[in-house]
Amino acid sequence: MDKQRVHTNPQHYSWLTEQLSPPSPLGAGLGRAFWVGGLICVLGQAIADAGVHWLDMNARAASSLTSITLVFLTALLTGVGVFDKLGKYAGAGSFVPITGFANAMVSPALEFRREGLVLGLGAKLFSIAGPVLVYGIGASVLVGMIYALFFH
Amino acid sequence: MPLKRTGLQTIELPLRPAVCASAAFVGKKEGEGPLGALFDHVAQDELYGQDTFELAEKRLYLDAIRKAILKGGLKPENVQFLLGGDLLNQIITASFSARELGIPFIGLYGACSTMAESLCLGGMLLDGEHASTVVCAASSHFCTAERQYRYPLEFGAQRPPTAQWTVTGAGAAVLSLAPSVPPQAHVVRVCMGRVVDLGVTDANNMGAAMAPAAADTLLALMADTHTRPADYDLIVTGDLGQVGRDLLLQLMREQRMPLEERLHRDCGLMIYDRERQDAHAGGSGCGCSASVLCASLLPALQRGELRRIIFMATGALMSVTSSQQGETIPGIAHAVVLESPKP
Amino acid sequence: MSLLWMYLKVFLVGGALCAIGELLVLRTRLTPARILVCYILTGVLLSAVGLYGPLADFAGAGATVPLTGFGHALCQGVMSAVDEVGLIGAFTGGLSATAGGIAAAVFFGTLIALAFKPRAK
């Protein structure tokens, strides 16, 4: 049997595919990511400032307060089904801030809850965000070791 | 003994098995689309009264099969084979439905080509007189496919414009040699496709991965039967979407067997209003071609508005594992030639 | 005025970091998970060579809320723990500096997963 009936090659086809696949509109996408992402950071700053001024926190505690509050808000918005709509609108604007990290943990836990509390919810909590922790922590340990061995 | 074969890949069905009845059950979004009024039933939410999305898909599947059997004036015990599949791992929707129906079950996996695959095999079973009545069915569900192949529903990610939307729906067709009701159409020949891969790796561009397989099968059918696209009222593909459709038309032009735009439809482009329904490049999934065939194409053949069509569903045969290992996406397409019972 | 300027800096730097991420989404085939990994690694690296600290001083939450800031916090935690307790700090510093966010995500994630059901878009 003639193995190739559609007489073309992968290079030509890959070129054709690129020609015929519409690209995502760049300007609008960047703009939306910019203003939503910027606003989330402004909210974070406001929470930190509130912690420092009204709750007498030091900078480090205020920074933790910011993280915890943003994570809580994201978890709640994910639960009520609003965060995925925000993510669809803003893209990286909502997943680059810590809100994206929280959404990446809450959404699989919510989705796989029906597969049980241990192997569903418990295991899937880290299915998307796990790599972030693995490489973040791994790299920081490496930096710490180099710092301790060569700069002390 | 003469084989019932024409050319390299085409199989003739001289007994002309009849599609005696069909049914399509779909989800809310599909019900709001341009074909909304044609479906037998539109589920009002994605759980369809069940505890999980998987159970909801199974209920759509079962309901479509039961309705099709009923419309064919039959009972499950009159049906000798259930041929079908779906997109989930180990085709649990189809096999768990078969558990409840008690019909001998032939489970199929052809990704989104499953409806055409089951019609091909069902037609051959009847034409070989190994059965007198079979039912062919396929389904998909947005929520079950999304969690298996992509991201959790509440994960806030964007889809590129080439991405397609998995149809929530099931279609079932009863095929018979001696229908007790006026038939909807006859299966006159089928063309089983080869697996074709032109190196597409982008899981967000399934249409591009499947278009070469569609071109391959269509060229085989044209060569085997000495016909051209203009000899058919319509050539309907399963779920190529806008990008896959454009690529198929371009590939056919390059192979000097041009497929005119007006002769081509794609179920993935028929089922949603893409401007209004946020479906990006169009619908996809086994349930897409199955429900459009059963709700729109078969009734049009029955009324005689269409005389002769090619129903060709395409499938992307990758898995999450193969994608993560960097494999390219192989495509497949099976074609069924359907003719109207009207003279 | 200085408060307004501060918040403007937060907005501009935070927005810019997100816009770079969106550029990766739109013009490469990197998945969100891969982009997040790139961000946290970039954060750790820039912090280790002393570039992220000044950005965080300049833009506050605009630099610390994006995931590069998470990497910066890991890195700063490790380095200050090494200053205090030596080599062992390389292992303890990162997680203790970021414990708030991680524990909150685990705790609230579990709570929300128990309380809500997923739904289609």
Side-chain angles (χ1 to χ4, degrees):
Chain A
M1 193 184 279
D2 179 13
K3 195 151 181 293
Q4 200 183 25
R5 185 175 292 115
V6 182
H7 292 279
T8 184
N9 56 57
Q11 291 74 30
H12 172 69
Y13 189 67
S14 155
W15 176 83
L16 260 188
T17 304
E18 247 167 66
Q19 297 302 305
L20 294 176
S21 301
S24 308
L26 196 61
L30 293 185
R32 292 199 298 247
F34 188 92
W35 84 259
V36 173
L39 218 59
I40 290 173
C41 294
V42 165
L43 178 64
Q45 186 69 44
I47 294 165
D49 288 351
V52 170
H53 291 299
W54 292 328
L55 301 172
D56 289 330
M57 287 179 165
N58 61 25
R60 196 165 158 178
S63 164
S64 290
L65 177 73
T66 304
S67 300
I68 294 167
T69 312
L70 288 177
V71 165
F72 170 73
L73 288 175
T74 306
L76 194 66
L77 290 179
T78 303
V80 298
V82 171
F83 195 88
D84 61 308
K85 294 187 179 71
L86 179 69
K88 192 170 159 6
Y89 174 80
S94 63
F95 83 67
V96 160
I98 194 166
T99 48
F101 173 75
N103 174 248
M105 286 183 71
V106 180
S107 61
L110 185 62
E111 177 80 44
F112 288 90
R113 154 90 180 81
R114 288 177 181 136
E115 276 74 17
L117 292 177
V118 175
L119 291 177
L121 191 163
K124 296 287 185 175
L125 202 57
F126 291 96
S127 63
I128 306 174
V132 175
L133 292 177
V134 168
Y135 291 104
I137 293 169
S140 74
V141 170
L142 210 61
V143 167
M145 288 166 92
I146 293 169
Y147 181 65
L149 294 176
F150 298 108
F151 298 91
H152 260 253
Chain B
M1 187 181 158
L3 286 174
K4 294 177 179 177
R5 291 186 69 94
T6 305
L8 292 169
Q9 278 170 251
T10 304
I11 296 128
E12 297 290 334
L13 307 179
L15 296 186
R16 296 168 58 87
V19 181
C20 63
S22 61
F25 278 56
V26 299
K28 188 160 179 268
K29 183 179 175 110
E30 293 70 27
E32 290 164 355
L35 307 179
L38 303 177
F39 298 115
D40 292 84
H41 184 75
V42 177
Q44 278 320 298
D45 69 79
E46 57 268 21
L47 274 173
Y48 199 18
Q50 308 294 303
D51 289 333
T52 68
F53 298 133
E54 284 74 14
L55 287 173
E57 182 176 349
K58 191 195 79 180
R59 187 177 160 203
L60 286 171
Y61 202 86
L62 263 178
D63 283 359
I65 291 174
R66 289 198 168 119
K67 179 83 179 197
I69 292 175
L70 194 71
K71 281 163 109 180
L74 300 162
K75 293 187 179 124
E77 49 268 34
N78 306 129
V79 180
Q80 288 136 3
F81 288 110
L82 163 62
L83 297 104
D86 56 274
L87 291 180
L88 302 187
N89 293 335
Q90 287 79 39
I91 52 168
I92 52 171
T93 307
S95 47
F96 282 47
S97 299
R99 178 177 71 183
E100 295 186 29
L101 288 165
I103 303 172
F105 170 58
I106 301 175
L108 302 174
Y109 185 80
C112 309
S113 73
T114 302
M115 192 62 190
E117 185 183 14
S118 64
L119 287 173
C120 289
L121 291 169
M124 285 193 262
L125 275 178
L126 292 180
D127 196 70
E129 296 178 282
H130 303 293
S132 60
T133 307
V134 302
V135 59
C136 303
S139 76
S140 53
H141 190 303
F142 176 78
C143 301
T144 61
E146 224 25 51
R147 74 206 300 255
Q148 177 176 311
Y149 288 100
R150 282 173 282 272
Y151 291 111
L153 292 174
E154 307 297 346
F155 185 63
Q158 288 172 322
R159 303 157 153 269
T162 55
Q164 291 173 254
W165 188 278
T166 307
V167 165
T168 300
V174 179
L175 271 58
S176 178
L177 284 177
S180 55
V181 294
Q184 291 187 298
H186 293 281
V187 185
V188 298
R189 63 179 60 86
V190 301
C191 184
M192 304 297 294
R194 308 189 297 180
V195 176
V196 178
D197 190 335
L198 280 180
V200 174
T201 51
D202 185 359
N204 275 318
N205 199 347
M206 291 296 180
M210 299 187 294
D216 190 80
T217 302
L218 191 56
L219 288 168
L221 182 63
M222 298 292 111
D224 290 349
T225 56
H226 305 289
T227 54
R228 297 191 66 79
D231 297 326
Y232 301 85
D233 290 342
L234 272 187
I235 293 169
V236 186
T237 49
D239 56 352
L240 291 177
Q242 187 63 50
V243 179
R245 169 193 155 92
D246 292 346
L247 281 164
L248 173 65
L249 297 183
Q250 177 63 27
L251 284 175
M252 294 303 284
R253 269 195 295 275
E254 291 181 1
Q255 308 304 312
R256 302 213 182 81
M257 179 65 82
L259 169 56
E260 284 177 58
E261 251 179 70
R262 64 176 181 86
L263 289 178
H264 178 254
R265 296 280 182 285
D266 184 71
C267 298
L269 294 171
M270 294 165 75
I271 196 162
Y272 298 123
D273 180 343
R274 291 194 304 139
E275 301 285 308
R276 189 169 53 83
Q277 288 190 289
D278 182 41
H280 295 244
S284 69
C286 305
C288 178
S289 58
S291 58
V292 172
L293 172 76
C294 296
S296 166
L297 302 173
L298 287 171
L301 284 159
Q302 184 169 33
R303 291 190 298 268
E305 294 161 17
L306 295 172
R307 291 303 172 91
R308 183 151 84 135
I309 68 166
I310 298 173
F311 172 71
M312 180 169 65
T314 49
L317 300 173
M318 88 305 180
S319 75
V320 175
T321 308
S322 74
S323 284
Q324 286 177 347
Q325 292 178 350
E327 278 277 354
T328 55
I329 302 171
I332 193 162
H334 300 296
V336 184
V337 179
L338 295 165
E339 286 184 2
S340 170
K342 292 268 166 74
Chain C
M1 184 57 208
S2 70
L3 192 71
L4 199 68
W5 170 232
M6 181 65 213
Y7 276 79
L8 191 66
K9 286 189 296 188
V10 170
F11 180 76
L12 292 177
V13 172
L17 283 169
C18 293
I20 294 169
E22 185 66 11
L23 189 69
L24 295 174
V25 171
L26 296 177
R27 284 297 174 263
T28 68
R29 279 207 217 128
L30 290 175
T31 55
R34 281 164 200 262
I35 293 171
L36 290 185
V37 169
C38 291
Y39 263 68
I40 198 155
L41 286 178
T42 309
V44 172
L45 200 74
L46 289 180
S47 178
V49 298
L51 289 177
Y52 209 84
L55 184 69
D57 293 339
F58 174 73
T64 57
V65 166
L67 221 64
T68 38
F70 200 77
H72 172 61
L74 279 170
C75 193
Q76 291 308 304
V78 159
M79 286 164 111
S80 59
V82 167
D83 287 339
E84 283 166 30
V85 295
L87 185 60
I88 202 81
F91 294 90
T92 59
L95 274 179
S96 49
T98 52
I102 297 172
V106 169
F107 180 73
F108 294 127
T110 308
L111 219 58
I112 293 291
L114 291 173
F116 291 92
K117 281 183 180 170
R119 68 202 82 195
K121 285 153 211 185

